[in-house]
Amino acid sequence: MRLYICEKPSQARDIARVLQANRRGDGCLQGNAVTVTWCVGHLLETAAPETYGAQYKHWTLEDLPIIPSRWQVVAKPKVAAQLKVIEQLLRTCNEVVVATDADREGEMIAREILERCRYQGPVLRLWLSALDEASIRKALAALRPGEQTLSLYHCALARSRADWLVGINLSRLFTLLGRRAGFDGLLPVGRVQTPTLRLVVERDRVIASFVPRPFWTVDAQLQAEGMVFLARWQPPAGSCDDSGRCIDEAVGQRAARRLMQRAQARVSSVDVERVCEGPPLPFDLGTLQEICSAKLGLGAQDTLNTAQALYETHKATTYPRSDCGFLPESMLDEVPRVLHALTASAPSLGQWLKEVDPSRRSRAWNSSKITAHHGIIPTAVALDLDQLSERERAVYGLIRARYLAQFMPDHEYLKTLVLLQSDEDQLHARGKQIQVRGWKAVIDEADGSEPGEPSQRLPTLREGTSLPVLDAVVNAHRTQPPKAYTEGTLVKAMKTIANQVADPRLKQKLKDSIGIGTEATRAAIIQGLIDHGYLAKKKRSLAASAAAHTLIEAVPPEVADPVLTALWEQALDRIESGQLDVETFLAKQAAWLTQLVHSHASLTLRVPAAKGPACPVCRSAMRQRKGRTGTFWSCSRYPDCKGTKPVATSKRTSKPRSS
């Protein structure tokens, strides 16, 4: 009997339907010489510390670090019955097909059960990228040897055990040190969650300490061929900042008066460039989360849940937890079927489909760029869009648009830069004239992901031509702080952690890294920080709580360093590729933890009182201090932040004062 082990009941039903395994059994579906069973996510979990010794029930510094010499797993109580079903089926089968999700965690869900049950028989791998019937049949006809994906299990196992080591040991270490300093709360530390939290805390501090600075622009109205257009005055070097902005209002005002007095500007150069832009790649999960956050206001977990429903429930899109936007060239054969299904599902697409050329090959079609998964695209299932929720329709529309864009003409436009001179004053005018709208017709309307570009259309201008200046206006501006993170931009920051690094050698090393976390885990990490009160959502923006500031203030920089976590992710990639083994990786983590525990166990943390209010300036926790006029609340980050609050009116925000 061949046993298929799936990740979820819904997935098992889809595969069993194709295998004609329609007979219901205890926790399984059976057919002719095949049985399909399912897990409910992970049925096993790493044992708690007290499993390795009764003394670990109590938190003490003397017992740290806790490093198991032989790892143990236990059944999750709520799903123990289903685990027993699979154990019994493994005793009677003569072949196993791992049919869980095609990623690290999916591999681990099945393999940890096989290892626990000491299964020794042959193993095959069903690698699915979509759950429609055609895709399942195609994958069933191309089962892979189990050895090809075994390294995914090793990678997930290393990740799981490293997270356990860091979470158990460092959470206990810093919570105990916090208690010694008078902080009664829990200081939970995670290998990924703490560096992620640090990104938000540091962004909040930059915003809180930001001092806006004024600058001025001068915009002149000129006329040529009966068309009025704008040109911007260029300030001289002595009156502008490093970004070329005029920081002296009087200089700008004098320039505006000179331009109006002369009332003429001569064209000194005209540079016209024809630009052809190909379409953006189909979505990977991180990019989809970023766009859904910006366009639809969806959280990272909401986006993942919706994409998962489109994949599992509606069979409308391919596997969502992908870190790759490219598509294998072997899928070009399916293009006509997919386009036909899209047309059948939404006849209103006809206006766009007129420009679609199924034979067109964008840069997305590149098999050499494919990782474990390809970009998220529609399947050949003809949907009844009315059966989708409003959110599902919106997310499906984004995915569909990116796919259609691959078969539409390039977006072409003329980009013009005109330099003008009025005695000593220089101006420039930028223009854009669209020649071929191409794929922008579908992307602009569907996801709005492209940033706004100057749409000014310039008249035909020639060098040496003198033009009348109709007006010159001085505009006042103020520099703006960086924007607070949203869930989408935080996912992007987690992916592109190299952008946070100043060291050029380390930056280059991290360029190709997947960053902090994985496509499958980032949403859950952010949601966990929100659920535990470390991050708060204000409309679409994320803000760190006082507890979050307390935690980041308490732990040493290396624990919250996102670069260190990204390097760990690179090590996990090496395990996946077979260049590093699990034992070596975990030994390095254990050595690092041992050194960290020993070096910090005798330290006293600077941790503010748990019940202190949040600083009105930077949102960090506050501690009481005594001044000339009595006791007051002072920011725990003093002197970096000088925010204060009176003790008697601590619920009101007062103006920052010197502590």
Side-chain angles (χ1 to χ4, degrees):
M1 180 263 291
R2 174 181 280 183
L3 177 64
Y4 289 79
I5 301 178
C6 300
E7 188 161 329
K8 303 184 183 92
S10 60
Q11 185 188 51
R13 287 193 295 271
D14 294 331
I15 294 171
R17 192 178 302 116
V18 175
L19 292 170
Q20 297 184 341
N22 304 317
R23 191 168 64 254
R24 182 76 191 210
D26 182 17
C28 64
L29 293 164
Q30 297 175 319
N32 184 22
V34 297
T35 298
V36 182
T37 189
W38 54 83
C39 305
V40 189
H42 285 276
L43 302 185
L44 300 168
E45 61 185 352
T46 305
E50 51 266 30
T51 305
Y52 302 100
Q55 71 273 22
Y56 297 136
K57 287 184 179 180
H58 306 288
W59 291 26
T60 64
L61 288 172
E62 292 73 23
D63 289 330
L64 298 179
I66 304 169
I67 301 173
S69 58
R70 183 176 181 183
W71 290 86
Q72 299 182 44
V73 294
V74 295
K76 291 185 175 181
K78 291 184 179 180
V79 292
Q82 185 61 20
L83 178 61
K84 288 183 179 179
V85 168
I86 299 176
E87 288 175 340
Q88 292 171 354
L89 291 170
L90 285 171
R91 294 191 191 104
T92 58
C93 74
N94 51 30
E95 189 175 49
V96 165
V97 177
V98 174
T100 48
D101 281 354
D103 58 16
R104 292 178 185 175
E105 292 305 307
E107 197 76 23
M108 184 174 178
I109 285 170
R111 297 280 188 169
E112 63 186 354
I113 296 173
L114 299 183
E115 187 169 303
R116 176 185 173 88
C117 297
R118 295 186 174 87
Y119 173 78
Q120 299 295 323
V123 177
L124 297 171
R125 187 52 157 111
L126 177 66
W127 197 261
L128 279 171
S129 60
L131 287 174
D132 60 289
E133 183 176 335
S135 296
I136 293 174
R137 290 189 182 279
K138 184 176 179 180
L140 286 170
L143 293 175
R144 303 181 180 187
E147 295 79 9
Q148 285 188 9
T149 57
L150 183 59
S151 62
L152 287 176
Y153 168 51
H154 296 153
C155 182
L157 190 65
R159 190 275 315 154
S160 175
R161 291 177 176 176
D163 285 348
W164 190 97
L165 288 172
V166 171
I168 293 295
N169 286 291
L170 297 191
S171 294
R172 290 190 178 204
L173 171 65
F174 292 108
T175 297
L176 290 168
L177 293 177
R179 289 175 186 172
R180 180 191 288 172
F183 181 80
D184 295 329
L186 179 69
L187 290 176
V189 177
R191 186 180 62 88
V192 179
Q193 74 174 30
T194 304
T196 300
L197 189 60
R198 177 183 170 184
L199 289 173
V200 182
V201 167
E202 290 186 342
R203 175 63 59 87
D204 283 359
R205 290 175 177 174
V206 170
I207 294 172
S209 61
F210 181 82
V211 178
R213 302 191 182 281
F215 69 96
W216 290 266
T217 59
V218 179
D219 290 325
Q221 284 189 355
L222 295 95
Q223 187 175 36
E225 299 181 343
M227 183 185 297
V228 177
F229 65 96
L230 291 178
R232 178 155 291 180
W233 170 72
Q234 301 301 292
S239 62
C240 59
D241 61 15
D242 293 340
S243 299
R245 296 176 294 224
C246 178
I247 55 176
D248 189 332
E249 182 182 12
V251 173
Q253 293 287 359
R254 289 195 294 270
R257 287 195 295 270
R258 288 195 302 271
L259 290 169
M260 289 299 297
Q261 289 168 359
R262 299 189 195 104
Q264 292 284 325
R266 183 178 59 83
V267 177
S268 55
S269 69
V270 180
D271 181 22
V272 181
E273 178 186 359
R274 188 177 188 90
V275 179
C276 294
E277 289 183 8
L281 295 173
F283 285 113
D284 58 78
L285 177 58
T287 307
L288 181 63
Q289 288 167 325
E290 182 187 350
I291 296 301
C292 285
S293 174
K295 182 68 177 176
L296 307 176
L298 295 184
Q301 190 64 50
D302 293 332
T303 299
L304 175 55
N305 292 343
T306 305
Q308 195 72 23
L310 290 170
Y311 165 67
E312 283 186 5
T313 306
H314 303 290
K315 319 295 185 289
T317 57
T318 57
Y319 184 72
R321 290 181 170 91
S322 174
D323 63 353
C324 174
F326 290 93
L327 301 171
E329 293 158 59
S330 60
M331 293 184 73
L332 283 166
D333 294 340
E334 301 174 23
V335 169
R337 292 175 51 242
V338 175
L339 293 178
H340 182 267
L342 295 181
T343 305
S345 299
S348 61
L349 290 175
Q351 56 176 332
W352 293 337
L353 291 173
K354 291 177 183 177
E355 293 191 64
V356 166
D357 179 2
S359 65
R360 187 185 300 274
R361 290 185 58 169
S362 70
R363 69 186 178 98
W365 302 97
N366 190 336
S367 298
S368 66
K369 298 281 189 178
I370 302 298
T371 55
H373 304 286
H374 56 69
I376 308 169
I377 62 172
T379 64
V381 171
L383 279 178
D384 179 357
L385 296 180
D386 291 335
Q387 293 183 351
L388 303 182
S389 68
E390 182 179 352
R391 179 180 293 178
E392 289 168 346
R393 279 197 300 274
V395 175
Y396 180 71
L398 301 181
I399 295 170
R400 179 182 62 192
R402 285 280 178 118
Y403 184 75
L404 287 174
Q406 308 308 313
F407 310 102
M408 299 181 75
D410 287 350
H411 177 64
E412 300 182 25
Y413 60 93
L414 299 179
K415 184 171 68 174
T416 305
L417 173 63
V418 179
L419 298 181
L420 303 106
Q421 200 74 32
S422 178
D423 285 350
E424 74 268 29
D425 294 307
Q426 189 179 73
L427 304 95
H428 74 231
R430 298 184 186 276
K432 178 179 179 180
Q433 184 175 348
I434 294 174
Q435 303 292 294
V436 179
R437 189 157 181 77
W439 57 266
K440 283 267 189 171
V442 57
I443 292 289
D444 280 358
E445 293 180 19
D447 72 18
S449 64
E450 296 298 310
E453 296 180 1
S455 57
Q456 176 177 236
R457 184 170 181 174
L458 297 177
T460 302
L461 299 172
R462 295 178 178 82
E463 291 184 17
T465 305
S466 291
L467 306 177
V469 177
L470 306 181
D471 196 7
V473 178
V474 179
N475 302 300
H477 307 273
R478 293 174 76 83
T479 56
Q480 297 295 315
K483 292 183 178 180
Y485 279 117
T486 65
E487 291 192 50
T489 57
L490 183 54
V491 167
K492 183 177 182 180
M494 294 169 75
K495 286 177 61 177
T496 58
I497 196 63
N499 295 337
Q500 310 284 334
V501 180
D503 186 307
R505 289 179 299 174
L506 189 54
K507 190 181 188 77
Q508 185 58 44
K509 190 173 184 180
L510 292 173
K511 277 291 186 183
D512 297 325
S513 171
I514 60 173
I516 299 176
T518 66
E519 301 293 342
T521 61
R522 292 187 185 108
I525 290 163
I526 295 172
Q527 191 60 49
L529 291 169
I530 293 171
D531 292 343
H532 289 92
Y534 288 98
L535 294 180
K537 289 189 72 171
K538 298 178 180 179
K539 296 184 178 179
R540 297 185 182 184
S541 298
L542 293 173
S545 66
H549 284 268
T550 296
L551 176 60
I552 297 304
E553 192 75 17
V555 299
E558 63 265 31
V559 173
D561 189 349
V563 174
L564 179 62
T565 300
L567 291 173
W568 284 356
E569 293 291 350
Q570 283 190 336
L572 293 176
D573 282 347
R574 292 179 62 208
I575 293 173
E576 185 175 328
S577 63
Q579 301 174 48
L580 181 67
D581 60 70
V582 177
E583 291 72 21
T584 301
F585 172 74
L586 292 177
K588 290 181 178 179
Q589 305 312 310
W592 175 75
L593 281 167
T594 301
Q595 187 274 329
L596 189 69
V597 168
H598 290 164
S599 63
H600 285 78
S602 59
L603 297 181
T604 301
L605 296 184
R606 288 182 56 198
V607 180
K611 295 182 180 179
C615 174
V617 178
C618 73
R619 306 304 300 165
S620 295
M622 307 186 81
R623 57 161 60 94
Q624 287 193 16
R625 298 170 67 94
K626 289 185 178 180
R628 292 188 302 273
T629 58
T631 303
F632 63 96
W633 288 109
S634 170
C635 182
S636 60
R637 295 181 56 240
Y638 176 83
D640 295 327
C641 176
K642 297 181 174 61
T644 64
K645 283 186 177 183
V647 170
T649 57
S650 60
K651 291 187 178 180
R652 281 205 315 269
T653 299
S654 65
K655 292 183 179 180
R657 50 174 276 195
S658 176
S659 314

